[in-house]
Amino acid sequence: MKVLLANPPCKYEINSKYEKYFIRAGSRWPHSGVKKKKDIPHYLPFPFYLAYSAALLRNSGFEVYVIDAIALDISESEFIQRIKNIKPEIILFEVTTPTIDYDLQLVEKIKVAGVPNIVIAGAHATTYAREILQNSKNIDFILKGEYEFSLLTLAKSLREGRFSGCPGIVMRKNGGVEDNGFAPLTEPLNNLPPPARDLFPSNDKSDPTIYWDGFCQKRPAIQMHASRGCPYKCSFCLWNQVMYRNGKYRTFTSDRVVEEMADVVQKYNAREIYFDDDDFTINKRFVLEICNKIMDRHLKVSWSCMGDAINLDEEIIKTMAQSGCIGIKFGVESGSEEMLKNLGKPINLKKVYDVAKMCAKYGIKSHATFSLGLPGETEKTIKETIKFANKLDVDTIQLSICTPFPGTKFFEEVKNQGLLKSKDWQKYDGKASEVVSYPELDLMMVEKIMKKSLLRWFVYKFFSFSWFFRQLRNVYRSIKGLGIKFFFKQINSIIIDEMRNV
């Protein structure tokens, strides 16, 4: 049986030179970008759920095909033609809130192309599974939450010609919709085989090094997971609340993680590995185990991660640096103690200061993210956040206006308070600020403040000698690790995205 795992295109022409595109599979933050036509997006997350699913299906004897249209930068018409050429019995792809209207129209074209079983998944499909099936006759099944094993169960049942409902799968039955709830979370994570990187972005174009996170400082860079979930309950966090249902934080074994690192170094000549976890640094013992096993194996590869300042201390940061860590991203979200309490993030701002300084001490590039526009936000708390960001000794920062994605506590809170300006899902773009209306806070004004603050932050840091000379080191390391042509191409792409995003 042929199974096609897809990441469909979703892009719109801006003018003869530029187009707007949407990032879906692989990202916990559905959002748009702007790029030159025929260019690959400057941020391209690896679609892990699709890749784990591909490995499971292939191990069970299915003929597995992959089309990552975002990474291939192909048009909708070419995508449909590839489907016709493959003639799969099953196709699965992830939908998102800002692309759902487009996705449902695409489903009709896929059905016309002759695919008998169309399956969708993702956070938006999980939240509105029943409504989507009721309103779209061309979708056959919806998988809720973590879907790898649910897809395997469904595919086996369809191959055998018999199917009865089971947890994790929403389907039509007797003229209605049968929702069997969620399947258990995957535990232990080692039950998942290594992701089938060799099938991405497509069977005939195997090149997992095409996937890219702009935080990386060396090429080739390969993205990995060491864990899933997060024990903290931030109100805006889409993946943790919807896909994992605020479930248990889980890790692969440290042996499995280091073995996979060695494997991608050997197979793809990886010079950097980026751990795109929900939070890589939750468990101190686990992080130290990985670091020590990297050193015990004399594995010579740089690595970076998405972490959190909450659990970092000097012992961890020093050991991470010794084992090859050259970068840490971490979420701060706000410089206001009041706001942090409101959103459910148990972080100590003094600790964040210390973590930033320790990263600088051990040569680890640091990036802090802040989320503005959450319930309870005021001009005062925004000023506190900006003041905190200016004093924080990190290498780079990101200021974003938070989007209330359906399924999150944030969405329910603003909906119940009558603060949603729109239910037009296309506006629920992670880079937009049009969907919430606070009586005492103008988010359009916040966006202007945010852009000015980023410029002021850079000017403020530029005259800090320690920060300036540290950036010379970071730039040198990046140019050496990426090549001067790729380095400046990425900078140009980011500028285009930030200046032209509409």
Side-chain angles (χ1 to χ4, degrees):
M1 175 177 272
K2 294 181 181 179
V3 182
L4 172 59
L5 304 175
N7 189 18
C10 183
K11 52 187 179 180
Y12 306 95
E13 184 179 90
I14 295 174
N15 55 40
S16 61
K17 192 174 181 180
Y18 298 101
E19 61 189 3
K20 184 173 184 174
Y21 65 93
F22 281 86
I23 291 293
R24 285 188 278 184
S27 177
R28 292 179 291 271
W29 174 53
H31 66 282
S32 67
V34 172
K35 66 180 183 66
K36 285 184 179 179
K37 292 180 178 180
K38 298 185 179 180
D39 277 0
I40 299 297
H42 68 85
Y43 166 66
L44 194 60
F46 185 70
F48 281 100
Y49 276 93
L50 296 178
Y52 286 122
S53 296
L56 279 173
L57 290 164
R58 186 167 60 182
N59 292 349
S60 296
F62 290 90
E63 195 174 344
V64 181
Y65 292 86
V66 169
I67 306 174
D68 187 343
I70 309 298
L72 295 168
D73 193 40
I74 60 176
S75 65
E76 181 188 286
S77 59
E78 185 176 347
F79 176 69
I80 295 295
Q81 185 58 52
R82 290 192 182 206
I83 292 174
K84 291 178 179 178
N85 294 342
I86 294 169
K87 297 182 175 63
E89 284 94 335
I90 303 171
I91 182 172
L92 172 135
F93 68 94
E94 297 176 19
V95 301
T96 67
T97 301
T99 65
I100 186 62
D101 294 333
Y102 170 84
D103 295 334
L104 295 180
Q105 293 173 15
L106 182 62
V107 162
E108 296 180 16
K109 299 175 185 178
I110 294 173
K111 186 62 79 173
V112 170
V115 181
N117 295 290
I118 298 177
V119 187
I120 65 170
H124 192 89
T126 296
T127 303
Y128 294 113
R130 184 176 293 274
E131 294 91 331
I132 291 172
L133 274 185
Q134 287 172 340
N135 295 318
S136 179
K137 66 182 188 308
N138 292 309
I139 296 173
D140 299 286
F141 302 94
I142 293 178
L143 306 183
K144 299 177 70 170
E146 290 183 346
Y147 62 75
E148 296 101 333
F149 283 100
S150 297
L151 176 60
L152 180 63
T153 298
L154 174 61
K156 285 181 175 179
S157 298
L158 292 173
R159 182 172 62 183
E160 294 164 5
R162 54 183 176 81
F163 183 76
S164 57
C166 63
I169 302 174
V170 185
M171 56 184 286
R172 290 189 180 81
K173 188 173 183 180
N174 301 326
V177 174
E178 179 179 277
D179 185 341
N180 295 286
F182 288 87
L185 293 174
T186 302
E187 190 175 6
L189 283 186
N190 274 32
N191 287 340
L192 288 167
R197 291 187 174 88
D198 59 300
L199 297 180
F200 287 80
S202 64
N203 300 57
D204 61 346
K205 189 180 179 181
S206 174
D207 183 13
T209 66
I210 197 172
Y211 296 95
W212 180 252
D213 188 291
F215 187 62
C216 294
Q217 301 166 71
K218 297 183 179 182
R219 292 178 72 215
I222 293 290
Q223 298 172 33
M224 278 184 57
H225 277 170
S227 65
R228 279 187 180 177
C230 174
Y232 309 120
K233 311 297 182 187
C234 296
S235 64
F236 61 87
C237 186
L238 176 63
W239 225 241
N240 203 42
Q241 292 181 73
V242 178
M243 299 300 281
Y244 307 134
R245 312 190 307 283
N246 287 319
K248 181 181 177 182
Y249 171 73
R250 296 150 291 150
T251 68
F252 291 99
T253 62
S254 56
D255 284 330
R256 156 75 182 260
V257 172
V258 178
E259 185 61 39
E260 189 174 333
M261 293 177 73
D263 186 61
V264 299
V265 170
Q266 190 273 322
K267 286 182 178 176
Y268 305 113
N269 193 32
R271 297 177 63 211
E272 182 172 352
I273 291 166
Y274 175 60
F275 288 101
D276 191 21
D277 291 29
D278 303 284
D279 192 335
F280 179 82
T281 58
I282 290 291
N283 186 314
K284 178 177 179 177
R285 184 175 68 178
F286 177 63
V287 175
L288 292 177
E289 280 182 5
I290 290 175
C291 293
N292 288 323
K293 287 176 180 177
I294 290 171
M295 291 187 284
D296 289 344
R297 289 187 61 150
H298 304 288
L299 186 57
K300 301 299 181 183
V301 62
S302 299
W303 59 277
S304 49
C305 66
M306 180 70 210
D308 208 309
I310 297 173
N311 298 297
L312 289 171
D313 59 29
E314 186 156 11
E315 179 188 6
I316 303 175
I317 292 173
K318 180 180 179 180
T319 308
M320 288 171 70
Q322 290 171 338
S323 68
C325 180
I326 58 173
I328 303 175
K329 291 182 185 179
F330 51 86
V332 181
E333 316 317 343
S334 179
S336 163
E337 298 280 6
E338 177 188 353
M339 286 300 299
L340 290 171
K341 183 178 179 181
N342 288 344
L343 67 90
K345 182 146 189 156
I347 193 168
N348 182 302
L349 292 176
K350 171 64 168 62
K351 175 91 176 280
V352 178
Y353 276 124
D354 296 338
V355 166
K357 289 185 179 298
M358 285 184 280
C359 287
K361 176 180 177 181
Y362 291 102
I364 296 175
K365 181 181 177 181
S366 57
H367 175 80
T369 63
F370 296 87
S371 298
L372 306 178
L374 290 159
E377 191 85 89
T378 63
E379 288 189 44
K380 175 177 176 289
T381 59
I382 289 172
K383 288 177 181 177
E384 288 175 349
T385 296
I386 292 168
K387 182 179 179 181
F388 179 83
N390 285 340
K391 292 184 178 180
L392 192 62
D393 192 23
V394 291
D395 296 301
T396 54
I397 65 167
Q398 176 181 319
L399 297 175
S400 303
I401 295 179
C402 205
T403 302
F405 287 113
T408 63
K409 182 180 176 183
F410 178 23
F411 179 85
E412 291 303 317
E413 188 172 351
V414 293
K415 184 182 76 171
N416 293 337
Q417 293 178 16
L419 301 178
L420 287 179
K421 290 167 60 177
S422 174
K423 286 292 288 288
D424 178 355
W425 295 132
Q426 294 182 57
K427 294 181 178 180
Y428 284 68
D429 178 345
K431 285 191 173 180
S433 58
E434 303 175 350
V435 296
V436 181
S437 177
Y438 294 115
E440 298 180 3
L441 189 67
D442 182 351
L443 289 184
M444 297 306 290
M445 177 271 294
V446 173
E447 188 169 338
K448 292 177 182 178
I449 292 175
M450 182 178 72
K451 290 178 179 178
K452 289 180 181 178
S453 298
L454 283 170
L455 179 60
R456 289 172 182 168
W457 180 89
F458 179 77
V459 172
Y460 182 87
K461 291 296 183 183
F462 188 83
F463 289 101
S464 165
F465 288 109
S466 61
W467 183 89
F468 180 80
F469 285 111
R470 200 163 71 237
Q471 300 327 299
L472 293 180
R473 177 205 66 195
N474 290 340
V475 169
Y476 172 76
R477 185 161 65 190
S478 293
I479 290 177
K480 184 179 178 182
L482 305 177
I484 192 166
K485 183 177 179 181
F486 186 84
F487 175 79
F488 283 107
K489 181 181 178 182
Q490 286 298 111
I491 290 177
N492 184 58
S493 296
I494 292 169
I495 291 171
I496 288 171
D497 189 14
E498 293 300 326
M499 297 301 292
R500 290 185 171 270
N501 202 284
V502 292

